[in-house]
């Protein structure tokens, strides 16, 4: 968006603050503020991830219950701490991963916007394409770091359920997984994660970029206008675009997420070491095709709320991290 009128300084463009590019950011401030705000956001949404994960695990006794019923069941049996199992590991472990993911996202997006600038295509398509490719690249890069963390956190979330191994903390999880399966045990579901989440990330960021562009244009805003949108307008538009992106992504990716979750946490199906095919067959045998949408309600809620809060938080971080303009 801000690239539409390169002759005009970015600070003077009406929509400059709705699409802040990498070269306008103070990188240190960006990552420090991002770590604080994203950790707070994760704390708000972690209970929905715990509910979703428990619903997706076979033999939990929760797989056929509604998400709200599972929530109250966990709260009643384990208290607040039960809803935050694995949060400490996730919060601390995610810090280096976020730096990797956000840096690769912004750098990739800037490169894509630069090299697609001369192509003859609608601007919304160009923005969506740049965001989508950047989202996919960012996810592929961050999967290398996040899959072992995901395996560890999800095993903490399902402690005590049938078919799972009891572990005394995250380090014990890592130790037992490596002892049982070697280092590759920490990368259970890596291929499925990369195959499912990379297109999902591309879809999410692509829908978000295109939706935001379309909404601003439908409201009558252009880069060349003198009037700038208010902060409330920016938050509303970005939240709406984020919610649409999260909803679309959750509908398409839930079946793969269900298989991935089971693959990462189940140790005993009675069929040897779990694989994607074995896990899928067991899931289909239990519940048919609907079984692949176990936990869809909490996941839909999680991704819609995550999409909304994440992007509002992310765009706020970028606005707070703008380089100070030095005037002579």
């Amino acid at each position: 968006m801000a690239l539409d009128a390169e002759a005009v300084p970015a600070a003077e463009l009406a929509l400059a603050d709705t699409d802040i590019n990498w070269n306008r950011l103070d990188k240190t401030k960006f990552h420090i503020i991002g770590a604080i705000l994203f950790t707070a956001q994760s704390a708000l949404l972690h209970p929905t991830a715990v509910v979703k994960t428990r619903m997706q695990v076979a033999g939990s006794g929760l797989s056929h219950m509604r998400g709200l019923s599972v929530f109250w069941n966990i709260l009643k049996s384990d208290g607040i701490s039960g809803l935050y199992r694995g949060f400490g590991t996730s919060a601390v472990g995610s810090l280096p991963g976020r730096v990797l993911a956000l840096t690769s996202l912004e750098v990739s997006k800037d490169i894509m916007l630069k090299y697609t600038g001369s192509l003859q295509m609608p601007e919304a398509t160009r923005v969506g394409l740049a965001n989508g490719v950047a989202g996919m690249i960012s996810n592929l890069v961050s999967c290398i770091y996040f899959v072992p963390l995901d395996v560890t956190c999800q095993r903490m979330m399902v402690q005590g359920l049938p078919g799972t191994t009891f572990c005394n903390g995250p380090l014990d999880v890592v130790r037992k997984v490596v002892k049982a399966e070697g280092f590759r045990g920490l990368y259970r579901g890596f291929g499925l994660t990369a195959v499912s989440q990379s297109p999902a990330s591309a879809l999410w960021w692509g829908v978000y970029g295109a939706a935001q562009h379309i909404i601003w244009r439908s409201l009558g805003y252009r880069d060349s206008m003198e009037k700038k949108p208010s902060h409330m307008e920016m938050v509303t538009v970005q939240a709406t675009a984020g919610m649409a992106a999260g909803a679309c992504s959750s509908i398409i990716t839930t079946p793969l997420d269900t298989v991935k979750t089971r693959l990462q946490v189940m140790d005993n199906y009675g069929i040897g070491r779990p694989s994607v095919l074995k896990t899928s067959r067991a899931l289909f045998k239990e519940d048919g095709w609907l079984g692949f949408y176990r936990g869809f309600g909490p996941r839909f809620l999680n991704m819609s709320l995550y999409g909304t809060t994440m992007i509002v938080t992310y765009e706020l971080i970028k606005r707070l991290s703008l380089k100070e303009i030095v005037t002579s």
Side-chain angles (χ1 to χ4, degrees), residues 104-105 128-144 146-147 189-207 249 252-253 256-257 260 299 303:
S104 58
L105 174 71
L129 177 63
N131 276 269
V133 172
M136 183 170 64
I137 292 173
S138 173
N139 188 78
L140 285 170
V141 171
S142 60
C143 270
I144 298 171
F146 276 112
V147 168
F190 176 80
L192 190 59
T193 300
V195 168
S196 64
Q197 290 191 5
S198 295
S201 182
L203 175 66
W204 198 100
W205 284 102
V207 170
S249 185
I252 293 172
T253 61
L256 288 172
D257 182 71
K260 176 186 73 72
R299 179 171 167 78
M303 291 195 70

Side-chain angles (χ1 to χ4, degrees), residues 12 105 130 164 183 189 195 198 212 322:
E12 296 179 11
L105 174 71
T164 63
F183 189 69
V195 168
S198 295
Q212 186 185 190
L322 279 169

